[in-house]
Structures are given as structure tokens and as C-alpha cells.
Amino acid sequence: MDDFDRKIIDEIENSFDFLVKTRRFFHTHPELSGKEIKTSEFLKDQMKSLGLEIKEVKGTGFYAVLDTKKPGKTLGIRSDIDGLPIEENKCNMTCEKVSVSENKGIMHACGHDGHMAMLLNSAKILTKYKEALRGKIIFIFEEGEELGTGIRPMIEELKKLKIDGIYGNHLVSFMDVGSISFTPGPVMAGSAIIDFTVHGKGGHGSRPDLSINPIFAAANIINGLASAWVNQIDVTKTVTLGLGSINGGQQRNIIPDTVRVTGTMRFYDVDEGKKAYEVLKNVAENISAASRCSLEFTKESGFKEGPVINDEKLSNLANSAIRDLEIFDLHQKEIWFASESFSFYRSIAPSLFAFVGIRNREKGIYSEHHNEHFDMDERALKYGSLAQVKFAREFLTKDYENINLT
């Protein structure tokens, strides 16, 4: 640990009130994907107050540039900004929360409020100490991660820049506060959306023979998928099948015209994921035809995003840098079957996605993500912001190509 490390540790400790206050502001005022108007305005005002140049991206996303005016590499650091359509419970798993959404039916249930607070705090510290850095830092605020509404416009804009690496944090409820993970290789799953409608012929329940019942067809499709997954998906390349809804009909004596089935698939092997989706389509189409029904997939249905894959050299750099601080509990092999649009940044530059623990069982903070009881131990904000600042300094000022921890 050198003098710079000691300085930034002190800065993080002194900024804890800012981190908490900012995170709670975002938490009480969440906005849905693509509608983060006030959130985006607040973030831009904060970045402008640091004297940073703002670059607009189509929608509510944007990025800000810190230029040290010294030659060197360019690092992107990313945060998502959207909330979820969930009515928040004022309690976590056992206790009352310190902060609850004031926007009915919307909450930050995935940690994005903390992501924004950490990146704002890191921007403040990195700007203050820019004389100790080289090159540029691009602070990325991505619209609509939950629905994928902002990632493609952001990627198109960032492609115009010469970025050498991209870093992101994700607060996670499956790790204790104080822990962090920079696992190399695949760390989050790719995903595909399942959304199809079975079209039959409605009628009265007293004469099912005069109808074509799509409910039976949909049920047989679901049963057929269970068999297909056992017999056609490579057992060494897991693909999860998560059916989330089946909707058709409203009255017990009325056979409906249609039944809609939705869900998702998750995978780490892209080719096997794409194969699995084709298996699903074949099963659904053939069973529909055998049931005298027709089938319609929505435009949204299909491959959504690939897995998040951490660059090995960046992982080694981060593990080496964070170990030097002697503060974190370093985890080495954490993976998560959730999906993330951060996977797209790998098309621009080598990327690294860190998991930062927020769990505190004694305080009832251990809910799954996307849950009304979701909560965080706010001390995690210090660890996440410190990791961002430390990684940025190491990436911009040191030769990391030959670091090897394997």
C-alpha cells in the first residue's frame, strides 16, 4: 500500500455520508427503464459540477469525460440507472429498511441506486486526484439495463472513442459486505426471451369438439420442452429454462382463442444457448401443428445478450491491486446465472465486471434481487467505490500485461 492508496482510503471514509445520502436519494426516487428523466438530470448536474464534459446518448443515457491532458490509456467505468416495476415492502427479510421508494409501484431492487452513488463518488475522487493519473476516464451512465433499452445506443457512441478497457461493479446479495470478486472468464449468463402465443379457436365449454383448445396445446408444449431439455441439451453446457407465465381465458366455461407463454433461458455457452432456443421453437411449432393450432413468436422473443466474460488480464490486475489494500475479502470463483447488458461492452474493449457483496444476515439483508424485500448494507458502497478508484489508478498508470496470478 502506497501513499496514494492511503489517501484514497481516507477520501472514501470521508465521503461515506455522501455515498449514503446519494444512494438514498436515488432509492426514494426510482424511475423505470427508458424513463429515467430526473435521474439523468441529477447525474448530469453532478458531473458538470466536477467540470467534466457531458456527451449525450439517445434516450436518457450519457457519458462524461475526465481528461488528464497526459497521454495514456482510456478507461470506461459504467453504472446503470433504472429501477424496476415492483411495489417495495418497507421491510427487508427481518427488519424495517432505512430507505423506501416514494414512487408507487417502482423500486430499486437490483442495486442500481448504489451503482450510481458509487460512480459519482469515484468521479469526485478521481477528478480531485487527476494529477496522479494519465489518459482519460469515461464515466458511463447506461439507460434501461433491465429492459435493454439503452445499451445499443451507448455502444454505438462509445465505438467512436478509443477505449482500452471497461470496468463495472454490481452489488450482489449472495456475498457478504466487505467481499469482492474479480473472477476471470464467464461470470454472468447470456439470455434469450421466450414469448409466444398459441392460436386456436374459441368456443363454449359444453362443446369442446367445436373448438380448437389452445390451452391443451400450450400445456403439451410445456411438457414437451421438459423432455427436450433432458434429451437434446448438452449436459455439460447448462441452459436453464425459466417459464414465467401462461395466460389464456377468463371464464371456466369459455374456451379461449389464444394462450400466451413467456419466460427466459440462461446459458454460458452462446452456441448451446442458440441451439436450445431452436429446440424450443421446433417443439412449440410441431406440437401446435399437431394440435391444429398456429403459433406466433413476438419480435422480442429470441437471443437477447451473451454472457458477461471477464478479461483474464484485467481480472489479474484487479486481484493484485485490491489484495494490496488488505481490506477486502477477495472471492475467486463467483458466478451468477442472472444476465446483464454489460456483456455488450466486451465488443468495444476488454472488460471486467466486479461483484461487490451487500449481504448482512444479522440486519435481514439477504433477499434475492428483483424482490420487494431487497435491501443493502450501505457499507458496501465504500468498498465498491474504493475498488473503482484503485482499479482506475492501476489501469491508467501501470503496465498490467504481464501480471499473472494463475
Side-chain angles (χ1 to χ4, degrees):
M1 186 184 301
D2 59 21
D3 288 341
F4 182 84
D5 290 340
R6 294 184 181 92
K7 287 179 180 178
I8 62 172
I9 289 172
D10 288 342
E11 290 285 351
I12 293 292
E13 288 295 334
N14 293 334
S15 64
F16 185 53
D17 286 346
F18 171 82
L19 281 164
V20 170
K21 180 180 177 181
T22 306
R23 178 258 163 178
R24 292 182 186 180
F25 170 79
F26 289 131
H27 192 82
T28 55
H29 302 94
E31 295 178 295
L32 294 174
S33 302
K35 300 178 181 179
E36 313 97 320
I37 306 299
K38 293 181 180 179
T39 301
S40 183
E41 289 175 354
F42 180 90
L43 289 165
K44 289 174 186 175
D45 287 343
Q46 290 285 312
M47 301 307 274
K48 288 176 182 176
S49 72
L50 299 176
L52 303 183
E53 182 183 8
I54 302 294
K55 294 291 187 180
E56 302 280 354
V57 175
K58 182 181 179 182
T60 57
F62 71 97
Y63 65 86
V65 182
L66 169 60
D67 189 348
T68 68
K69 306 298 183 182
K70 289 177 282 188
K73 297 188 288 291
T74 297
L75 173 67
I77 310 178
R78 174 266 200 171
S79 171
D80 32 24
I81 68 175
D82 54 328
L84 285 155
I86 297 173
E87 182 67 31
E88 183 163 18
N89 193 305
K90 68 178 181 179
C91 295
N92 56 36
M93 300 303 285
T94 62
C95 306
E96 191 164 322
K97 299 177 183 177
V98 297
S99 181
V100 178
S101 172
E102 295 177 2
N103 292 350
K104 186 173 178 58
I106 309 174
M107 74 171 285
H108 277 294
C110 200
H112 299 185
D113 48 346
H115 299 170
M116 291 183 280
M118 288 187 294
L119 190 49
L120 284 180
N121 193 60
S122 298
K124 289 176 64 177
I125 296 172
L126 290 165
T127 300
K128 180 176 180 179
Y129 289 95
K130 68 178 181 180
E131 293 304 316
L133 306 172
R134 305 182 65 84
K136 297 179 182 179
I137 302 177
I138 311 298
F139 300 103
I140 302 163
F141 295 91
E142 179 193 326
E143 170 202 309
E145 184 276 328
E146 298 293 355
L147 296 182
T149 60
I151 184 61
R152 287 176 175 80
M154 182 64 74
I155 293 296
E156 288 304 309
E157 290 300 319
L158 294 179
K159 280 181 177 178
K160 301 173 184 177
L161 310 178
K162 184 183 181 301
I163 299 179
D164 300 289
I166 298 179
Y167 177 93
N169 275 346
H170 204 304
L171 299 170
V172 296
S173 64
F174 55 83
M175 290 167 52
D176 290 335
V177 64
S179 60
I180 195 165
S181 174
F182 306 101
T183 303
V187 292
M188 292 187 75
S191 69
I193 293 174
I194 301 166
D195 193 341
F196 62 82
T197 299
V198 181
H199 294 270
K201 178 184 177 183
H204 197 275
S206 64
R207 290 298 303 271
D209 57 306
L210 300 179
S211 304
I212 301 175
N213 196 331
I215 293 176
F216 284 115
N220 287 331
I221 289 170
I222 292 170
N223 288 331
L225 289 175
S227 173
W229 245 243
V230 170
N231 293 291
Q232 299 185 50
I233 306 303
D234 189 331
V235 296
T236 68
K237 300 174 181 178
T238 300
V239 181
T240 65
L241 175 64
L243 296 179
S245 72
I246 176 168
N247 293 287
Q250 296 179 336
Q251 301 293 330
R252 62 175 178 265
N253 63 338
I254 303 297
I255 295 170
D257 288 310
T258 62
V259 172
R260 183 184 180 191
V261 179
T262 68
T264 61
M265 293 162 36
R266 309 295 170 119
F267 47 84
Y268 284 108
D269 185 288
V270 172
D271 290 339
E272 194 67 15
K274 290 180 177 179
K275 180 188 117 177
Y277 185 75
E278 290 304 311
V279 168
L280 179 142
K281 284 185 66 177
N282 288 337
V283 168
E285 289 170 353
N286 288 328
I287 291 178
S288 291
S291 304
R292 297 188 299 139
C293 292
S294 61
L295 193 69
E296 179 185 10
F297 282 85
T298 65
K299 292 181 180 179
E300 290 75 22
S301 195
F303 184 85
K304 182 183 178 186
E305 55 206 1
V308 175
I309 301 176
N310 281 341
D311 179 81
E312 183 175 5
K313 291 179 179 178
L314 295 186
S315 297
N316 288 342
L317 172 66
N319 277 302
S320 175
I322 296 302
R323 184 176 290 116
D324 286 346
L325 296 177
E326 299 179 347
I327 292 174
F328 293 83
D329 176 15
L330 265 173
H331 290 211
Q332 298 296 335
K333 296 181 179 180
E334 296 287 355
I335 62 171
W336 192 13
F337 254 95
S339 300
E340 242 280 358
S341 62
F342 191 82
S343 60
F344 286 87
Y345 291 101
R346 188 163 163 260
S347 67
I348 298 175
S351 59
L352 178 64
F353 207 42
F355 295 153
V356 180
I358 60 172
R359 185 173 61 195
N360 185 332
R361 292 189 179 277
E362 291 183 359
K363 294 185 177 181
I365 301 172
Y366 54 90
S367 165
E368 292 284 347
H369 292 246
H370 292 213
N371 185 293
E372 64 178 336
H373 299 287
F374 182 83
D375 197 6
M376 70 175 68
D377 185 327
E378 292 174 322
R379 291 177 298 166
L381 304 174
K382 295 193 295 183
Y383 291 103
S385 185
L386 176 57
Q388 287 177 334
V389 174
K390 175 65 172 175
F391 180 83
R393 192 251 187 153
E394 299 293 303
F395 181 86
L396 294 174
T397 62
K398 296 185 179 180
D399 175 17
Y400 65 89
E401 293 295 326
N402 296 318
I403 294 176
N404 188 351
L405 300 181
T406 59

